[in-house]
Amino acid sequence: MTDPHPELIQSSLNRSIEQGGRRLEINIVRLASERGWSLEVVNDHNTSIVWDDQFDTDRDADAAFRSALAEEGFEAFLDTD
């Protein structure tokens, strides 16, 4: 039977960043029972962008976010109004 409330481990690399009055929440978590880390970015309209792949470490997940930010820009994570 699956635990309805699995224990989540939060990375110390979780943070918010802001640019031009817009905010992104970077969430890096893993289930306590698993080794892989998940990466999610949530914008100020609560749109969630989740990477399909899991990462070996929270630092790897953070590096993936930083790479996407550098390549695509802050605006790539925002909703088009």
Side-chain angles (χ1 to χ4, degrees):
M1 187 162 164
T2 305
D3 183 356
H5 303 289
E7 181 183 356
L8 280 180
I9 307 296
Q10 301 279 334
S11 170
S12 62
L13 299 173
N14 289 351
R15 64 194 177 284
S16 297
I17 61 172
E18 190 172 322
Q19 181 176 308
R22 305 291 302 267
R23 179 178 293 257
L24 299 176
E25 297 284 334
I26 296 85
N27 300 312
I28 302 170
V29 299
R30 72 175 175 85
L31 293 174
S33 61
E34 296 185 15
R35 298 181 62 89
W37 291 86
S38 296
L39 171 60
E40 174 190 39
V41 177
V42 180
N43 68 27
D44 53 2
H45 289 146
N46 279 334
T47 300
S48 172
I49 300 149
V50 179
W51 272 243
D52 290 333
D53 298 326
Q54 288 196 335
F55 301 90
D56 290 337
T57 68
D58 59 344
R59 291 191 182 279
D60 290 341
D62 187 58
F65 167 71
R66 290 176 182 269
S67 177
L69 184 63
E71 290 175 20
E72 300 176 38
F74 192 92
E75 298 76 23
F77 298 99
L78 303 177
D79 294 339
T80 53
D81 298 325

